[in-house]
Each structure stands twice: as C-alpha cells, then as structure tokens.
Amino acid sequence: DWAAGALRTLATRLRPRPGEPTPVPRLLRLAGDQIELVWDTPNTEEPWPWQSPDGGWSWTLDRTTDLGTSDNPNPCPCLVTIGRRDGADVLLNLESCGAIAISGTDYVVDALWRSVATELAGSAFADSPTVIHVGVGGLAARPDHARAVDVPEAIGWLRDRADAAGAMLAHRRLTSLFALRTRSRPQDGHEPVVVVIDPDGLPEDDVAALLNLANGD
C-alpha cells in the first residue's frame, strides 16, 4: 500500500512531453525500508526525493520519506509479484511487456498464473482492473475483478480497450499509458485488461488473434 501511494505521488511530479518517447517502469523491488523502480530505458529526470544510483536505470526511495497523498490514478496498475531476489519482493509491470509466456512443469505454471491473476484482481496498485481467463479454470475466492469468458468475448475486451487507448494516446501525442496516467485527473483511471489463456487448449488462429491485440503499453 505504501509503494502504491508513493507511485501515485510520483506520477503527479512527472511531466511527459507530447511527441517524445517516455520511459516506462519495468520492475519494482520492495526491500525492507527501500523501494526501487527499474525503467525500461534510462530516465534521468528523477524528482526529489527519488534518487538514481546508476544513471537513470533505477530510482530508489526510502520508506521513511514523507510523501504526502494523492488521489490521482496509479500510473502502474499492472504491477504483480513474480518472485524474490536478495530477500526483496520483485514486481513486474505486465503492461510494459504486452504478452508473457509462462513455461515449466504443470504445477509451477498453474501456481504462478493463479498467483499473478489473483493478486492483480485485488491489487493495491489498481482501482478496477479486469482479469479475464479463457479455458484455465477459476480463481480462489472468485475475486470481483476476475471473470471466465470464451475466446470471442476475450477478443472483444482486448479490441475495445486497445482501440480506446490508441485513440487517447494519439489525441494527446503520448507514447504510453503510463505517460497518459501521469497527465490524467483522478477520475481518469484507464484501467487495464489482462487475459490469461492456455495456448495448448485453443486453436492457433484464436491464440494469434489474442496475441496480436496484446500490445501492452
């Protein structure tokens, strides 16, 4: 919750410039009293009190810092835990990837996708995400923001969200939903849709259609 609040406050201090590429957060590390934000490209314009020890690839912040509060949209509603490194929780911004494949034993794959989907459906980083799963079973506790659908409905969700996001980005001449959210009002959430599928259980044409629409940011 504290990290989510820190990102909301950070978003109010960033000013992406229309027509210019904007770095997007890729990873978040939560290590004790410090958080670390890792970017997909170097970002050297860190606002106080964030610091960058490596030329803009990552920004760090001490948890004891008084940041105040913000009711703006969270800029990274797709942050989910994918593991631990050196004792720190590591979260991946799914929106920075578009499509992700999980491979391994059946047990590991099933445990990871369920963990990611359940966490996202009740995330502190998002207000109202939509988690759709196609042919992979249900989630424990039936979270409100998760639902099982068939392929045509999943394609409809993705196409609608991709078209809407593309129109907004083109209108404001911005390069990512992250940049769009930093310039949005509190009621403009631009919440994500995440679709989980088992490609082995679907026709290749359906998988291709879903992947072609899963363009992330």
Side-chain angles (χ1 to χ4, degrees):
D1 289 342
W2 181 86
L7 292 183
R8 288 180 189 269
T9 303
L10 172 63
T12 66
R13 302 177 183 179
L14 300 177
R15 289 293 178 267
R17 289 178 282 272
E20 297 184 12
T22 304
V24 174
R26 176 64 57 83
L27 296 167
L28 181 70
R29 293 181 67 249
L30 305 179
D33 289 335
Q34 186 182 74
I35 67 174
E36 179 184 21
L37 193 63
V38 181
W39 299 85
D40 61 349
T41 58
N43 189 346
T44 58
E45 300 182 0
E46 68 273 18
W48 187 89
W50 291 82
Q51 298 180 348
S52 177
D54 53 11
W57 279 106
S58 66
W59 294 2
T60 60
L61 180 69
D62 194 300
R63 187 169 181 171
T64 60
T65 306
D66 183 9
L67 298 174
T69 60
S70 170
D71 59 357
N72 274 34
N74 198 301
C76 300
C78 276
L79 282 169
V80 290
T81 306
I82 58 170
R84 293 176 63 83
R85 180 179 178 86
D86 299 330
D89 289 327
V90 178
L91 286 77
L92 172 67
N93 181 10
L94 299 180
E95 209 167 50
S96 70
C97 302
I100 297 173
I102 303 175
S103 62
T105 65
D106 290 345
Y107 173 79
V108 170
V109 171
D110 189 66
L112 182 54
W113 87 256
R114 289 180 184 279
S115 172
V116 166
T118 303
E119 181 179 346
L120 181 60
S123 175
F125 295 95
D127 295 317
S128 56
T130 301
V131 182
I132 291 174
H133 43 100
V134 182
V136 290
L139 297 177
R142 299 180 181 271
D144 291 339
H145 294 295
R147 56 187 298 175
V149 304
D150 56 17
V151 171
E153 186 173 351
I155 290 175
W157 273 94
L158 282 179
R159 180 175 289 119
D160 177 74
R161 199 59 58 97
D163 289 348
M168 288 187 293
L169 293 176
H171 176 69
R172 300 196 187 185
R173 298 176 58 233
L174 297 172
T175 58
S176 71
L177 291 174
F178 170 76
L180 184 68
R181 293 187 188 101
T182 66
R183 300 176 65 91
S184 295
R185 294 165 294 182
Q187 64 269 28
D188 298 333
H190 311 299
E191 294 289 342
V193 169
V194 174
V195 178
V196 181
I197 66 170
D198 178 0
D200 292 335
L202 298 177
E204 289 186 7
D205 289 347
D206 288 344
V207 174
L210 290 165
L211 291 177
N212 286 337
L213 288 169
N215 53 9
D217 232 5

